[in-house]
Amino acid sequence: MLYIRAMKAEILSIGTEILLGEIVDTNAQYIASRLPGLGIDLYFKAVVGDNMERLSETIGRARERSDVVICTGGLGPTEDDLTREAICAVLGEEPHVDPDLETTLRSFFERRGYAMPERNVKQCWLIPSARAIPNPRGTAPGWWVERDGKIIVAMPGPPTEMTRMWENEVAPELKARNPGEILVTRTLKTAGVGEGTVDEMMSPLLKSQNPSIGIYARADGVHVRLGAKAPDEESAWKLILPVEEEARQILGAAIWGADDDTFESVVGDMAKERGVSIATMESCTGGLLASTLTDVAGSSAFFRSGIVSYQTEVKMQYGVPPEVVDDYGVISPECARAMALAARERFEASVGVGITGVAGPEEQEGKPVGTIHIAIDAIWAAPQSMSYVFPQGRTAVKRRAVTTALVLLRQALLEYKTEALT
């Protein structure tokens, strides 16, 4: 077994489709975010296509300079799935078919009513330095390869298979092999304040070395990341918690969540706690706000309904007064407020949200691409609205509008008065 103070790791994402940008490499991000908690230092990440020579060279170089090489992808049954072959070449070992793996794999296909294609037999390979890592979600077992004090971990590319294998098999093993210092983090998520403002507010704490503090602008606001190194989690949390308490006192209500919280889940929880119902009328976002809110488990407890009123006639059909459209146009704060009110009243909700604007690629009513108007109409407060121009492309405009709507919803829910619903 390899026992060192801090393992050095390298992540290799394998597949031409990743190299060419045809799919997004979420596996590397997932693994990288979890290595600090295992006390493992990540030094390198690389992407390599399905080419035997380049893949063997990349794995060999990674093995020379790192203690553990973590590979994802290339474990399928096809000719261009070359991860096993490359590892064999690097170590100079010949593969053999493991009978237990073959029995398990043939049973996998039989349970589904299929005969196993013979090309899948390569997924039953092992070499003397490798043991199989179980994969109940797919046909490709992983490989744990260990020789000369170095480890290669090969996991399948599909994220659902990889994450299960990582969480249940790989991460616990790596943690047991690496009893050095670990890094524990807490991320506080804020909204309504800019990156520079947060930096100024946090300045009394920024000289801290352990925990260290980082401030980052993200799509859902500004994040404050606290990270502490210690021999174990308990000691690390003892370093973080007092600083977190000070940070929360400084930032106050600007903090909307922490760590893995999403804006929609926080807003949904607030709505459920208050017994508040939400309805939406969307134009330029095409129902994205309703979709985002209903991504929250149990959203039926607070989400009443949503309308995608893409055309002007539909807005009026569902309650936007014609005179509002005539006097102000559909790309206006007045129209957004009318949409919010119409959604709330039509579906007998506690709060309505209206979104209208120009997602692009062409201007509308003389308004530039990226013009957005969002309104909130809650029965316990005066209507709120926000307008801005964000010309960053159609998808980004829609996503930004939804995030802003969630910010306004949270603000309205913070002002909630129980007696308003009685």
Side-chain angles (χ1 to χ4, degrees):
M1 288 188 180
L2 175 65
Y3 290 103
I4 56 178
R5 189 61 179 165
M7 282 184 176
K8 294 185 295 183
E10 184 159 348
I11 297 173
L12 302 182
S13 300
I14 299 167
T16 301
E17 68 275 17
I18 301 173
L19 190 65
L20 298 181
E22 295 173 357
I23 65 171
V24 177
D25 181 16
T26 59
N27 287 342
Q29 184 275 334
Y30 173 90
I31 296 167
S33 69
R34 283 151 177 81
L35 288 175
L38 302 176
I40 297 175
D41 295 329
L42 178 63
Y43 280 22
F44 304 98
K45 288 198 296 184
V47 178
V48 60
D50 301 311
N51 176 278
M52 185 62 181
E53 181 179 352
R54 289 190 290 271
L55 181 54
S56 301
E57 178 188 352
T58 302
I59 292 175
R61 183 176 63 246
R63 187 172 178 272
E64 287 177 2
R65 65 189 182 186
S66 301
D67 302 303
V68 56
V69 182
I70 304 169
C71 307
T72 63
L75 295 182
T78 64
E79 290 185 7
D80 62 352
D81 289 308
L82 298 169
T83 300
R84 298 180 195 83
E85 288 89 335
I87 294 173
C88 293
V90 169
L91 296 182
E93 297 185 11
E94 290 293 325
H96 65 276
V97 176
D98 182 86
D100 292 335
L101 289 178
E102 184 176 8
T103 299
T104 300
L105 189 57
R106 291 190 184 278
S107 298
F108 180 94
F109 279 92
E110 289 171 4
R111 288 194 300 271
R112 287 156 178 78
Y114 299 101
M116 187 185 84
E118 288 308 306
R119 67 171 57 247
N120 283 75
V121 169
K122 68 183 289 186
Q123 295 182 306
C124 308
W125 286 0
L126 284 179
I127 56 176
S129 297
R131 59 178 171 82
I133 307 174
N135 178 18
R137 292 183 177 175
T139 63
W143 270 15
W144 181 285
V145 183
E146 192 164 359
R147 201 180 82 179
D148 304 325
K150 300 294 183 83
I151 297 170
I152 302 174
V153 177
M155 295 183 289
T160 56
E161 298 179 31
M162 189 281 296
T163 54
R164 191 267 172 204
M165 187 176 291
W166 174 267
E167 291 170 1
N168 290 272
E169 309 290 345
V170 177
E173 181 78 10
L174 289 175
K175 186 175 182 178
R177 301 295 187 94
N178 191 52
E181 284 194 327
I182 64 170
L183 174 67
V184 170
T185 64
R186 168 77 83 210
T187 299
L188 303 178
K189 301 180 177 181
T190 73
V193 285
E195 186 178 11
T197 302
V198 172
D199 188 77
E200 287 183 4
M201 295 171 71
M202 290 292 294
S203 59
L205 302 180
L206 293 180
K207 293 182 180 179
S208 173
Q209 297 297 314
N210 194 22
S212 60
I213 300 173
I215 297 171
Y216 312 97
R218 296 289 186 263
D220 57 0
V222 178
H223 293 186
V224 177
R225 179 180 174 274
L226 312 176
K229 279 192 172 183
D232 54 70
E233 283 192 40
E234 183 180 357
S235 299
W237 281 115
K238 285 181 180 179
L239 294 171
I240 284 180
L241 291 176
V243 179
E244 179 185 352
E245 184 177 351
E246 289 187 65
R248 287 184 177 275
Q249 290 175 353
I250 291 171
L251 297 169
I255 297 175
W256 62 261
D259 296 335
D260 294 330
D261 288 340
T262 64
F263 230 136
E264 55 267 27
S265 66
V266 169
V267 167
D269 288 343
M270 293 175 70
K272 285 187 282 188
E273 289 168 4
R274 292 158 172 77
V276 166
S277 56
I278 300 171
T280 61
M281 185 184 292
E282 305 175 62
S283 181
C284 63
T285 46
L288 183 59
L289 175 59
S291 176
T292 301
L293 286 169
T294 54
D295 284 341
V296 178
S299 55
S300 58
F302 65 85
F303 187 74
R304 295 281 288 177
S305 189
I307 302 168
V308 180
S309 56
Y310 218 65
Q311 296 187 342
T312 302
E313 309 88 78
V314 178
K315 294 178 177 64
M316 294 188 290
Q317 178 184 343
Y318 282 94
V320 174
E323 57 269 24
V324 170
V325 175
D326 292 339
D327 294 345
Y328 303 102
V330 295
I331 314 300
S332 65
E334 291 82 5
C335 185
R337 288 195 288 268
M339 292 167 68
L341 175 61
R344 180 175 68 76
E345 291 184 337
R346 185 173 189 89
F347 298 111
E348 299 180 345
S350 312
V351 57
V353 186
I355 303 177
T356 183
V358 187
E362 298 176 352
E363 66 175 33
Q364 187 176 344
E365 295 183 347
K367 311 294 174 54
V369 172
T371 300
I372 297 292
H373 303 288
I374 304 169
I376 304 289
D377 191 295
I379 62 176
W380 63 85
Q384 305 177 48
S385 63
M386 178 179 288
S387 303
Y388 60 86
V389 179
F390 183 71
Q392 296 295 319
R394 193 174 178 82
T395 300
V397 167
K398 293 169 69 174
R399 186 67 253 177
R400 175 70 170 267
V402 168
T403 299
T404 304
L406 292 171
V407 171
L408 293 178
L409 268 172
R410 175 177 175 269
Q411 290 175 351
L413 290 166
L414 288 172
E415 299 169 4
Y416 165 81
K417 300 292 188 298
T418 305
E419 58 270 18
L421 301 184
T422 59

